[in-house]
Amino acid sequence: MKENQYYKNEALAALKGKWAPAVLAVLAYFVLSTVFLAPYQIKAAELQNDPTNLELAMDLMKVYPLLLLGMLLVISPLLVGLVNCFKELLVKSDERMLQNEFKIGFGNYFHHVWGYFLNRFFVFLWSMLFLIPGFIKMLSYAMTNYILVDRPELSANEAINLSKDMMYGHKFDLFYLYLSFAGWLILSVFTLGIGLLWLIPYAQTAQASFYLDVKEDYERRKGVSF
């Protein structure tokens, strides 16, 4: 496996001159997420100000299932599209990131929704044992969103298992890559989150480079090719 700086340099080279469409793709994801989160957050804030209001509590209970459904049916395929649009940028220099975000994410819709759901569900089950097993599984399944697109013939469960096989011995490598962006994340907090519009394309493109490297290592170890 290569050093973190290699992945980050690859990301910066791919994004050079293409930051505007990258920021726009992330902004679209944030806007749509906010559309689904806003009703719940408004009700939650009202209930916090008046915790004895049973009517507000009931309204919150009604909104929450709709929030989960909306996040699953709309935001989950959009997230699959978002991470893969940066892979397309890296591999093909395709700067149509906003278009690819929707085209890829919703292109194989139910497969992506089910794959994302199973991924998060398995991580949730492991997290119930303790936070550390859940975090380890999150790293283990981190390549699933790429595999769902690169290997559409695989079932969602097979894509998750392939991610687990690919990440064998590389989970700390990915954690170390995430950790290398901690300073940028802290700076983004001081910009009231606005910096995330630039940090997320940078980090996701670097992760796409990591995926290509770990895929190459897996193919070499197994003597197979995608």
Side-chain angles (χ1 to χ4, degrees), residues 82-111:
L82 183 66
V83 300
N84 278 281
C85 80
F86 292 116
K87 177 171 67 68
E88 292 294 296
L89 170 68
L90 184 67
V91 175
K92 302 178 182 178
S93 297
D94 190 342
E95 59 185 89
R96 298 171 300 173
M97 281 164 272
L98 181 62
Q99 179 181 337
N100 288 335
E101 178 181 8
F102 287 87
K103 181 180 178 181
I104 295 172
F106 292 90
N108 196 1
Y109 179 73
F110 291 107
H111 186 56

PDB file of all heavy atoms in Angstrom, residues 82-111:
ATOM      1  N   LEU A  82     -22.273  10.215  -4.745  1.00  0.00           N
ATOM      2  CA  LEU A  82     -21.294  11.246  -4.379  1.00  0.00           C
ATOM      3  C   LEU A  82     -19.886  10.672  -4.300  1.00  0.00           C
ATOM      4  O   LEU A  82     -18.952  11.229  -4.882  1.00  0.00           O
ATOM      5  CB  LEU A  82     -21.685  11.876  -3.044  1.00  0.00           C
ATOM      6  CG  LEU A  82     -20.784  13.018  -2.558  1.00  0.00           C
ATOM      7  CD1 LEU A  82     -20.892  14.219  -3.491  1.00  0.00           C
ATOM      8  CD2 LEU A  82     -21.152  13.420  -1.130  1.00  0.00           C
ATOM      9  N   VAL A  83     -19.714   9.552  -3.593  1.00  0.00           N
ATOM     10  CA  VAL A  83     -18.366   8.997  -3.449  1.00  0.00           C
ATOM     11  C   VAL A  83     -17.837   8.499  -4.794  1.00  0.00           C
ATOM     12  O   VAL A  83     -16.634   8.606  -5.079  1.00  0.00           O
ATOM     13  CB  VAL A  83     -18.317   7.874  -2.391  1.00  0.00           C
ATOM     14  CG1 VAL A  83     -18.754   8.386  -1.036  1.00  0.00           C
ATOM     15  CG2 VAL A  83     -19.144   6.673  -2.784  1.00  0.00           C
ATOM     16  N   ASN A  84     -18.732   8.004  -5.639  1.00  0.00           N
ATOM     17  CA  ASN A  84     -18.290   7.475  -6.934  1.00  0.00           C
ATOM     18  C   ASN A  84     -18.056   8.569  -7.970  1.00  0.00           C
ATOM     19  O   ASN A  84     -17.281   8.364  -8.913  1.00  0.00           O
ATOM     20  CB  ASN A  84     -19.298   6.454  -7.458  1.00  0.00           C
ATOM     21  CG  ASN A  84     -19.095   5.083  -6.842  1.00  0.00           C
ATOM     22  OD1 ASN A  84     -18.214   4.330  -7.244  1.00  0.00           O
ATOM     23  ND2 ASN A  84     -19.904   4.760  -5.836  1.00  0.00           N
ATOM     24  N   CYS A  85     -18.690   9.720  -7.798  1.00  0.00           N
ATOM     25  CA  CYS A  85     -18.426  10.803  -8.751  1.00  0.00           C
ATOM     26  C   CYS A  85     -16.995  11.304  -8.587  1.00  0.00           C
ATOM     27  O   CYS A  85     -16.362  11.732  -9.566  1.00  0.00           O
ATOM     28  CB  CYS A  85     -19.442  11.930  -8.606  1.00  0.00           C
ATOM     29  SG  CYS A  85     -19.165  13.096  -7.251  1.00  0.00           S
ATOM     30  N   PHE A  86     -16.454  11.216  -7.375  1.00  0.00           N
ATOM     31  CA  PHE A  86     -15.064  11.602  -7.167  1.00  0.00           C
ATOM     32  C   PHE A  86     -14.108  10.529  -7.683  1.00  0.00           C
ATOM     33  O   PHE A  86     -12.986  10.831  -8.090  1.00  0.00           O
ATOM     34  CB  PHE A  86     -14.808  11.912  -5.696  1.00  0.00           C
ATOM     35  CG  PHE A  86     -15.515  13.158  -5.225  1.00  0.00           C
ATOM     36  CD1 PHE A  86     -16.498  13.094  -4.253  1.00  0.00           C
ATOM     37  CD2 PHE A  86     -15.210  14.383  -5.781  1.00  0.00           C
ATOM     38  CE1 PHE A  86     -17.161  14.233  -3.833  1.00  0.00           C
ATOM     39  CE2 PHE A  86     -15.875  15.541  -5.375  1.00  0.00           C
ATOM     40  CZ  PHE A  86     -16.850  15.467  -4.400  1.00  0.00           C
ATOM     41  N   LYS A  87     -14.562   9.283  -7.681  1.00  0.00           N
ATOM     42  CA  LYS A  87     -13.751   8.222  -8.300  1.00  0.00           C
ATOM     43  C   LYS A  87     -13.700   8.430  -9.816  1.00  0.00           C
ATOM     44  O   LYS A  87     -12.644   8.235 -10.433  1.00  0.00           O
ATOM     45  CB  LYS A  87     -14.326   6.847  -7.972  1.00  0.00           C
ATOM     46  CG  LYS A  87     -13.570   5.689  -8.640  1.00  0.00           C
ATOM     47  CD  LYS A  87     -14.018   4.347  -8.120  1.00  0.00           C
ATOM     48  CE  LYS A  87     -15.433   4.022  -8.504  1.00  0.00           C
ATOM     49  NZ  LYS A  87     -15.590   3.790  -9.976  1.00  0.00           N
ATOM     50  N   GLU A  88     -14.823   8.821 -10.406  1.00  0.00           N
ATOM     51  CA  GLU A  88     -14.845   9.101 -11.840  1.00  0.00           C
ATOM     52  C   GLU A  88     -13.928  10.276 -12.173  1.00  0.00           C
ATOM     53  O   GLU A  88     -13.258  10.272 -13.208  1.00  0.00           O
ATOM     54  CB  GLU A  88     -16.278   9.416 -12.290  1.00  0.00           C
ATOM     55  CG  GLU A  88     -17.228   8.237 -12.237  1.00  0.00           C
ATOM     56  CD  GLU A  88     -16.843   7.163 -13.237  1.00  0.00           C
ATOM     57  OE1 GLU A  88     -16.892   7.432 -14.450  1.00  0.00           O
ATOM     58  OE2 GLU A  88     -16.465   6.056 -12.792  1.00  0.00           O
ATOM     59  N   LEU A  89     -13.899  11.259 -11.293  1.00  0.00           N
ATOM     60  CA  LEU A  89     -12.997  12.395 -11.477  1.00  0.00           C
ATOM     61  C   LEU A  89     -11.552  11.920 -11.469  1.00  0.00           C
ATOM     62  O   LEU A  89     -10.745  12.322 -12.316  1.00  0.00           O
ATOM     63  CB  LEU A  89     -13.214  13.425 -10.371  1.00  0.00           C
ATOM     64  CG  LEU A  89     -12.177  14.550 -10.286  1.00  0.00           C
ATOM     65  CD1 LEU A  89     -12.279  15.477 -11.489  1.00  0.00           C
ATOM     66  CD2 LEU A  89     -12.340  15.337  -8.984  1.00  0.00           C
ATOM     67  N   LEU A  90     -11.233  11.054 -10.516  1.00  0.00           N
ATOM     68  CA  LEU A  90      -9.860  10.574 -10.356  1.00  0.00           C
ATOM     69  C   LEU A  90      -9.437   9.690 -11.523  1.00  0.00           C
ATOM     70  O   LEU A  90      -8.330   9.829 -12.052  1.00  0.00           O
ATOM     71  CB  LEU A  90      -9.741   9.804  -9.035  1.00  0.00           C
ATOM     72  CG  LEU A  90      -8.365   9.302  -8.653  1.00  0.00           C
ATOM     73  CD1 LEU A  90      -7.427  10.461  -8.344  1.00  0.00           C
ATOM     74  CD2 LEU A  90      -8.447   8.363  -7.446  1.00  0.00           C
ATOM     75  N   VAL A  91     -10.313   8.790 -11.936  1.00  0.00           N
ATOM     76  CA  VAL A  91      -9.957   7.787 -12.955  1.00  0.00           C
ATOM     77  C   VAL A  91     -10.063   8.350 -14.368  1.00  0.00           C
ATOM     78  O   VAL A  91      -9.196   8.093 -15.222  1.00  0.00           O
ATOM     79  CB  VAL A  91     -10.848   6.537 -12.811  1.00  0.00           C
ATOM     80  CG1 VAL A  91     -10.589   5.550 -13.932  1.00  0.00           C
ATOM     81  CG2 VAL A  91     -10.624   5.884 -11.457  1.00  0.00           C
ATOM     82  N   LYS A  92     -11.121   9.116 -14.630  1.00  0.00           N
ATOM     83  CA  LYS A  92     -11.410   9.557 -15.995  1.00  0.00           C
ATOM     84  C   LYS A  92     -11.323  11.067 -16.200  1.00  0.00           C
ATOM     85  O   LYS A  92     -11.633  11.554 -17.286  1.00  0.00           O
ATOM     86  CB  LYS A  92     -12.816   9.091 -16.400  1.00  0.00           C
ATOM     87  CG  LYS A  92     -13.024   7.592 -16.319  1.00  0.00           C
ATOM     88  CD  LYS A  92     -14.449   7.220 -16.678  1.00  0.00           C
ATOM     89  CE  LYS A  92     -14.684   5.718 -16.547  1.00  0.00           C
ATOM     90  NZ  LYS A  92     -16.095   5.356 -16.847  1.00  0.00           N
ATOM     91  N   SER A  93     -10.944  11.792 -15.132  1.00  0.00           N
ATOM     92  CA  SER A  93     -10.916  13.262 -15.175  1.00  0.00           C
ATOM     93  C   SER A  93     -12.282  13.823 -15.561  1.00  0.00           C
ATOM     94  O   SER A  93     -12.383  14.871 -16.215  1.00  0.00           O
ATOM     95  CB  SER A  93      -9.849  13.760 -16.157  1.00  0.00           C
ATOM     96  OG  SER A  93      -8.564  13.353 -15.732  1.00  0.00           O
ATOM     97  N   ASP A  94     -13.324  13.098 -15.179  1.00  0.00           N
ATOM     98  CA  ASP A  94     -14.702  13.500 -15.497  1.00  0.00           C
ATOM     99  C   ASP A  94     -15.158  14.537 -14.467  1.00  0.00           C
ATOM    100  O   ASP A  94     -15.394  14.212 -13.309  1.00  0.00           O
ATOM    101  CB  ASP A  94     -15.623  12.278 -15.472  1.00  0.00           C
ATOM    102  CG  ASP A  94     -17.000  12.583 -16.025  1.00  0.00           C
ATOM    103  OD1 ASP A  94     -17.370  13.774 -16.103  1.00  0.00           O
ATOM    104  OD2 ASP A  94     -17.722  11.633 -16.379  1.00  0.00           O
ATOM    105  N   GLU A  95     -15.269  15.771 -14.902  1.00  0.00           N
ATOM    106  CA  GLU A  95     -15.609  16.847 -13.972  1.00  0.00           C
ATOM    107  C   GLU A  95     -17.125  17.094 -13.863  1.00  0.00           C
ATOM    108  O   GLU A  95     -17.542  18.041 -13.210  1.00  0.00           O
ATOM    109  CB  GLU A  95     -14.912  18.144 -14.377  1.00  0.00           C
ATOM    110  CG  GLU A  95     -15.248  18.639 -15.761  1.00  0.00           C
ATOM    111  CD  GLU A  95     -14.422  19.865 -16.117  1.00  0.00           C
ATOM    112  OE1 GLU A  95     -13.317  19.690 -16.654  1.00  0.00           O
ATOM    113  OE2 GLU A  95     -14.897  20.986 -15.836  1.00  0.00           O
ATOM    114  N   ARG A  96     -17.924  16.227 -14.465  1.00  0.00           N
ATOM    115  CA  ARG A  96     -19.390  16.365 -14.357  1.00  0.00           C
ATOM    116  C   ARG A  96     -19.856  15.738 -13.047  1.00  0.00           C
ATOM    117  O   ARG A  96     -20.678  14.832 -13.029  1.00  0.00           O
ATOM    118  CB  ARG A  96     -20.062  15.695 -15.548  1.00  0.00           C
ATOM    119  CG  ARG A  96     -19.715  16.287 -16.908  1.00  0.00           C
ATOM    120  CD  ARG A  96     -20.249  15.428 -18.037  1.00  0.00           C
ATOM    121  NE  ARG A  96     -19.677  14.082 -17.982  1.00  0.00           N
ATOM    122  CZ  ARG A  96     -20.071  13.086 -18.776  1.00  0.00           C
ATOM    123  NH1 ARG A  96     -21.027  13.273 -19.661  1.00  0.00           N
ATOM    124  NH2 ARG A  96     -19.514  11.895 -18.664  1.00  0.00           N
ATOM    125  N   MET A  97     -19.350  16.254 -11.949  1.00  0.00           N
ATOM    126  CA  MET A  97     -19.565  15.608 -10.648  1.00  0.00           C
ATOM    127  C   MET A  97     -21.015  15.678 -10.182  1.00  0.00           C
ATOM    128  O   MET A  97     -21.550  14.705  -9.656  1.00  0.00           O
ATOM    129  CB  MET A  97     -18.613  16.206  -9.607  1.00  0.00           C
ATOM    130  CG  MET A  97     -17.209  15.638  -9.716  1.00  0.00           C
ATOM    131  SD  MET A  97     -15.971  16.610  -8.852  1.00  0.00           S
ATOM    132  CE  MET A  97     -15.501  17.771 -10.122  1.00  0.00           C
ATOM    133  N   LEU A  98     -21.649  16.807 -10.373  1.00  0.00           N
ATOM    134  CA  LEU A  98     -23.051  16.918  -9.965  1.00  0.00           C
ATOM    135  C   LEU A  98     -23.916  15.966 -10.774  1.00  0.00           C
ATOM    136  O   LEU A  98     -24.763  15.255 -10.227  1.00  0.00           O
ATOM    137  CB  LEU A  98     -23.535  18.356 -10.134  1.00  0.00           C
ATOM    138  CG  LEU A  98     -24.985  18.622  -9.710  1.00  0.00           C
ATOM    139  CD1 LEU A  98     -25.173  18.336  -8.226  1.00  0.00           C
ATOM    140  CD2 LEU A  98     -25.380  20.060 -10.035  1.00  0.00           C
ATOM    141  N   GLN A  99     -23.703  15.929 -12.084  1.00  0.00           N
ATOM    142  CA  GLN A  99     -24.465  15.031 -12.946  1.00  0.00           C
ATOM    143  C   GLN A  99     -24.195  13.572 -12.582  1.00  0.00           C
ATOM    144  O   GLN A  99     -25.123  12.764 -12.481  1.00  0.00           O
ATOM    145  CB  GLN A  99     -24.101  15.283 -14.410  1.00  0.00           C
ATOM    146  CG  GLN A  99     -24.834  14.370 -15.390  1.00  0.00           C
ATOM    147  CD  GLN A  99     -24.420  14.642 -16.824  1.00  0.00           C
ATOM    148  OE1 GLN A  99     -23.940  15.724 -17.151  1.00  0.00           O
ATOM    149  NE2 GLN A  99     -24.594  13.651 -17.694  1.00  0.00           N
ATOM    150  N   ASN A 100     -22.922  13.231 -12.375  1.00  0.00           N
ATOM    151  CA  ASN A 100     -22.566  11.852 -12.043  1.00  0.00           C
ATOM    152  C   ASN A 100     -23.082  11.437 -10.665  1.00  0.00           C
ATOM    153  O   ASN A 100     -23.410  10.267 -10.452  1.00  0.00           O
ATOM    154  CB  ASN A 100     -21.049  11.675 -12.099  1.00  0.00           C
ATOM    155  CG  ASN A 100     -20.523  11.684 -13.517  1.00  0.00           C
ATOM    156  OD1 ASN A 100     -21.252  11.371 -14.454  1.00  0.00           O
ATOM    157  ND2 ASN A 100     -19.262  12.038 -13.689  1.00  0.00           N
ATOM    158  N   GLU A 101     -23.143  12.396  -9.753  1.00  0.00           N
ATOM    159  CA  GLU A 101     -23.661  12.108  -8.416  1.00  0.00           C
ATOM    160  C   GLU A 101     -25.073  11.520  -8.496  1.00  0.00           C
ATOM    161  O   GLU A 101     -25.386  10.524  -7.829  1.00  0.00           O
ATOM    162  CB  GLU A 101     -23.665  13.390  -7.590  1.00  0.00           C
ATOM    163  CG  GLU A 101     -24.230  13.252  -6.186  1.00  0.00           C
ATOM    164  CD  GLU A 101     -24.227  14.569  -5.443  1.00  0.00           C
ATOM    165  OE1 GLU A 101     -23.925  15.621  -6.065  1.00  0.00           O
ATOM    166  OE2 GLU A 101     -24.530  14.558  -4.237  1.00  0.00           O
ATOM    167  N   PHE A 102     -25.921  12.123  -9.321  1.00  0.00           N
ATOM    168  CA  PHE A 102     -27.297  11.645  -9.472  1.00  0.00           C
ATOM    169  C   PHE A 102     -27.377  10.459 -10.434  1.00  0.00           C
ATOM    170  O   PHE A 102     -28.109   9.507 -10.181  1.00  0.00           O
ATOM    171  CB  PHE A 102     -28.199  12.784  -9.953  1.00  0.00           C
ATOM    172  CG  PHE A 102     -28.484  13.810  -8.900  1.00  0.00           C
ATOM    173  CD1 PHE A 102     -27.634  14.886  -8.700  1.00  0.00           C
ATOM    174  CD2 PHE A 102     -29.604  13.698  -8.093  1.00  0.00           C
ATOM    175  CE1 PHE A 102     -27.893  15.837  -7.725  1.00  0.00           C
ATOM    176  CE2 PHE A 102     -29.885  14.630  -7.105  1.00  0.00           C
ATOM    177  CZ  PHE A 102     -29.015  15.709  -6.919  1.00  0.00           C
ATOM    178  N   LYS A 103     -26.631  10.544 -11.528  1.00  0.00           N
ATOM    179  CA  LYS A 103     -26.678   9.486 -12.538  1.00  0.00           C
ATOM    180  C   LYS A 103     -26.209   8.152 -11.974  1.00  0.00           C
ATOM    181  O   LYS A 103     -26.852   7.111 -12.173  1.00  0.00           O
ATOM    182  CB  LYS A 103     -25.820   9.888 -13.739  1.00  0.00           C
ATOM    183  CG  LYS A 103     -25.822   8.875 -14.871  1.00  0.00           C
ATOM    184  CD  LYS A 103     -24.945   9.358 -16.026  1.00  0.00           C
ATOM    185  CE  LYS A 103     -24.902   8.329 -17.142  1.00  0.00           C
ATOM    186  NZ  LYS A 103     -24.041   8.777 -18.263  1.00  0.00           N
ATOM    187  N   ILE A 104     -25.082   8.170 -11.268  1.00  0.00           N
ATOM    188  CA  ILE A 104     -24.540   6.935 -10.696  1.00  0.00           C
ATOM    189  C   ILE A 104     -25.389   6.482  -9.513  1.00  0.00           C
ATOM    190  O   ILE A 104     -25.765   5.309  -9.418  1.00  0.00           O
ATOM    191  CB  ILE A 104     -23.079   7.136 -10.255  1.00  0.00           C
ATOM    192  CG1 ILE A 104     -22.192   7.417 -11.458  1.00  0.00           C
ATOM    193  CG2 ILE A 104     -22.573   5.905  -9.498  1.00  0.00           C
ATOM    194  CD1 ILE A 104     -20.766   7.815 -11.101  1.00  0.00           C
ATOM    195  N   GLY A 105     -25.699   7.412  -8.617  1.00  0.00           N
ATOM    196  CA  GLY A 105     -26.420   7.046  -7.401  1.00  0.00           C
ATOM    197  C   GLY A 105     -27.790   6.459  -7.651  1.00  0.00           C
ATOM    198  O   GLY A 105     -28.180   5.466  -7.040  1.00  0.00           O
ATOM    199  N   PHE A 106     -28.525   7.039  -8.604  1.00  0.00           N
ATOM    200  CA  PHE A 106     -29.887   6.591  -8.881  1.00  0.00           C
ATOM    201  C   PHE A 106     -29.953   5.663 -10.092  1.00  0.00           C
ATOM    202  O   PHE A 106     -31.033   5.214 -10.467  1.00  0.00           O
ATOM    203  CB  PHE A 106     -30.804   7.796  -9.088  1.00  0.00           C
ATOM    204  CG  PHE A 106     -31.030   8.593  -7.832  1.00  0.00           C
ATOM    205  CD1 PHE A 106     -30.192   9.640  -7.503  1.00  0.00           C
ATOM    206  CD2 PHE A 106     -32.061   8.269  -6.972  1.00  0.00           C
ATOM    207  CE1 PHE A 106     -30.385  10.367  -6.338  1.00  0.00           C
ATOM    208  CE2 PHE A 106     -32.270   8.991  -5.804  1.00  0.00           C
ATOM    209  CZ  PHE A 106     -31.422  10.045  -5.485  1.00  0.00           C
ATOM    210  N   GLY A 107     -28.788   5.379 -10.696  1.00  0.00           N
ATOM    211  CA  GLY A 107     -28.760   4.547 -11.891  1.00  0.00           C
ATOM    212  C   GLY A 107     -29.140   3.102 -11.643  1.00  0.00           C
ATOM    213  O   GLY A 107     -29.793   2.474 -12.456  1.00  0.00           O
ATOM    214  N   ASN A 108     -28.708   2.563 -10.522  1.00  0.00           N
ATOM    215  CA  ASN A 108     -29.045   1.178 -10.135  1.00  0.00           C
ATOM    216  C   ASN A 108     -29.707   1.269  -8.764  1.00  0.00           C
ATOM    217  O   ASN A 108     -29.203   0.746  -7.773  1.00  0.00           O
ATOM    218  CB  ASN A 108     -27.779   0.321 -10.109  1.00  0.00           C
ATOM    219  CG  ASN A 108     -28.085  -1.166 -10.113  1.00  0.00           C
ATOM    220  OD1 ASN A 108     -29.241  -1.581 -10.148  1.00  0.00           O
ATOM    221  ND2 ASN A 108     -27.051  -1.981 -10.070  1.00  0.00           N
ATOM    222  N   TYR A 109     -30.840   1.948  -8.754  1.00  0.00           N
ATOM    223  CA  TYR A 109     -31.426   2.510  -7.545  1.00  0.00           C
ATOM    224  C   TYR A 109     -31.593   1.518  -6.398  1.00  0.00           C
ATOM    225  O   TYR A 109     -31.014   1.689  -5.318  1.00  0.00           O
ATOM    226  CB  TYR A 109     -32.765   3.153  -7.890  1.00  0.00           C
ATOM    227  CG  TYR A 109     -33.480   3.754  -6.708  1.00  0.00           C
ATOM    228  CD1 TYR A 109     -33.022   4.930  -6.139  1.00  0.00           C
ATOM    229  CD2 TYR A 109     -34.598   3.131  -6.158  1.00  0.00           C
ATOM    230  CE1 TYR A 109     -33.667   5.487  -5.044  1.00  0.00           C
ATOM    231  CE2 TYR A 109     -35.243   3.680  -5.074  1.00  0.00           C
ATOM    232  CZ  TYR A 109     -34.774   4.856  -4.514  1.00  0.00           C
ATOM    233  OH  TYR A 109     -35.405   5.391  -3.427  1.00  0.00           O
ATOM    234  N   PHE A 110     -32.387   0.491  -6.594  1.00  0.00           N
ATOM    235  CA  PHE A 110     -32.708  -0.413  -5.480  1.00  0.00           C
ATOM    236  C   PHE A 110     -31.481  -1.182  -4.997  1.00  0.00           C
ATOM    237  O   PHE A 110     -31.354  -1.487  -3.809  1.00  0.00           O
ATOM    238  CB  PHE A 110     -33.827  -1.378  -5.887  1.00  0.00           C
ATOM    239  CG  PHE A 110     -35.158  -0.704  -6.056  1.00  0.00           C
ATOM    240  CD1 PHE A 110     -35.690  -0.495  -7.320  1.00  0.00           C
ATOM    241  CD2 PHE A 110     -35.868  -0.247  -4.954  1.00  0.00           C
ATOM    242  CE1 PHE A 110     -36.904   0.146  -7.471  1.00  0.00           C
ATOM    243  CE2 PHE A 110     -37.088   0.393  -5.094  1.00  0.00           C
ATOM    244  CZ  PHE A 110     -37.614   0.595  -6.357  1.00  0.00           C
ATOM    245  N   HIS A 111     -30.576  -1.469  -5.915  1.00  0.00           N
ATOM    246  CA  HIS A 111     -29.336  -2.148  -5.531  1.00  0.00           C
ATOM    247  C   HIS A 111     -28.515  -1.267  -4.590  1.00  0.00           C
ATOM    248  O   HIS A 111     -27.975  -1.752  -3.587  1.00  0.00           O
ATOM    249  CB  HIS A 111     -28.540  -2.467  -6.796  1.00  0.00           C
ATOM    250  CG  HIS A 111     -27.312  -3.285  -6.556  1.00  0.00           C
ATOM    251  ND1 HIS A 111     -27.327  -4.501  -5.919  1.00  0.00           N
ATOM    252  CD2 HIS A 111     -26.001  -3.051  -6.867  1.00  0.00           C
ATOM    253  CE1 HIS A 111     -26.099  -4.994  -5.851  1.00  0.00           C
ATOM    254  NE2 HIS A 111     -25.283  -4.126  -6.416  1.00  0.00           N
TER     255      HIS A 111
END
